[in-house]
Amino acid sequence: MAGFGLTAAALALLGACQLGADDDADRPETARGFPRADRPVAGVVSNEFSNEEARDDRNEATKVMDLAGITPGMTVADIGAGNGYYTVRLAERVGAGGRVLAQDIDDAALKRLGTRVERERLDNVSIKPGDIDDPRLPENSFDRVFMVHMYHEVTEPYAFISRLRPALKPGGQVIVVDVDRPTNRHGIPPKLLFCEFEAVGYKLVEFIEKPDIAGYFARFEAVGPALDVSKIKGCDQA
């Protein structure tokens, strides 16, 4: 009976270990060292937050680019570029001396955007696929990184924005435009947004409520050295 008891205990321990190992089975292996996001994520229903005519009617891109300080010659990344609403307008703003990298995880969207870039002869635009936990941006390359109406769909925010940090030039900034509502309703409360960025070593530089662009505008800068993954603490949505 003693032998049976030892075997049962060992099996129970093994089962507990297997259960713990499976806790992250739904996550990419490359993200499992980072905290799990304490928020639901709404499914991607479209690659466009709104149609381009409606967005231009409220002068959205111009207002956001002005707030972000986009000037000719800058190098900018458009994360979650979709069909390219911001990509094409950023390309015009930075001019021939600047560069725009359009990134998305949706291959079909990137193909459509590639066709648009060729049709409109945007020689200063490049296109690159990303991963759900890594934007895969070249290091020390960008003055601004745009994440417009898409950050709430990032399922691995701590890994994603940690791996984005090295892509910023000194003084580079991450620009987030989103909506103040629950993440499962295609938005993110500002308090949670601030917490997630601060958790991996960014500071909030500016936050503005912008009803005229159907959301808010926030910008962040990386501060200090990158944090060791073991020191990153996840945020509680409550």
Side-chain angles (χ1 to χ4, degrees):
M1 292 298 291
F4 174 78
L6 179 62
T7 303
L11 288 173
L13 180 61
L14 178 60
C17 291
Q18 288 175 334
L19 180 62
D22 289 341
D23 284 348
D24 281 339
D26 60 332
R27 304 175 68 197
E29 288 188 12
T30 50
R32 293 177 189 175
F34 292 85
R36 180 188 288 271
D38 180 32
R39 55 179 170 93
V41 177
V44 180
V45 296
S46 172
N47 283 301
E48 286 294 308
F49 169 73
S50 176
N51 70 67
E52 295 199 12
E53 183 178 356
R55 298 176 88 169
D56 278 344
D57 283 347
R58 56 181 178 256
N59 210 22
E60 178 188 328
T62 298
K63 292 175 180 177
V64 171
M65 290 189 295
D66 287 348
L67 287 170
I70 302 302
T71 57
M74 279 187 165
T75 302
V76 183
D78 182 15
I79 306 297
N83 292 331
Y85 174 74
Y86 271 87
T87 299
V88 300
R89 288 156 181 80
L90 286 166
E92 180 179 3
R93 176 70 72 96
V94 302
R99 296 291 303 175
V100 177
L101 177 63
Q103 184 261 34
D104 208 293
I105 62 172
D106 185 332
D107 290 338
L110 289 180
K111 288 178 181 178
R112 292 193 298 271
L113 181 53
T115 299
R116 181 175 188 177
V117 166
E118 291 181 2
R119 183 177 67 247
E120 300 187 22
R121 298 182 179 180
L122 302 176
D123 296 333
N124 60 348
V125 174
S126 301
I127 295 174
K128 180 180 179 68
D131 292 324
I132 65 173
D133 63 337
D134 187 348
R136 298 174 60 194
L137 301 179
E139 292 189 10
N140 194 31
S141 297
F142 298 97
D143 300 293
R144 300 288 185 272
V145 175
F146 276 63
M147 303 175 73
V148 180
H149 293 296
M150 61 73 62
Y151 180 75
H152 59 268
E153 294 175 349
V154 177
T155 58
E156 296 290 347
Y158 303 107
F160 194 91
I161 57 178
S162 290
R163 291 169 176 153
L164 185 156
R165 277 184 53 133
L168 295 172
K169 294 180 180 179
Q173 298 178 338
V174 179
I175 306 300
V176 178
V177 176
D178 223 308
V179 182
D180 183 2
R181 60 186 178 216
T183 52
N184 60 358
R185 293 178 50 213
H186 297 280
I188 183 167
K191 183 179 178 181
L192 181 58
L193 174 75
F194 303 161
C195 183
E196 290 184 352
F197 269 81
E198 289 169 3
V200 298
Y202 291 83
K203 69 175 180 179
L204 177 68
V205 176
E206 185 177 28
F207 176 79
I208 306 173
E209 295 279 4
K210 292 290 290 179
D212 53 332
I213 62 168
Y216 59 73
F217 171 95
R219 56 176 165 174
F220 300 87
E221 289 183 359
V223 291
L227 294 179
D228 185 89
V229 174
S230 65
K231 297 185 183 302
I232 297 174
K233 305 301 181 185
C235 301
D236 185 347
Q237 184 169 211

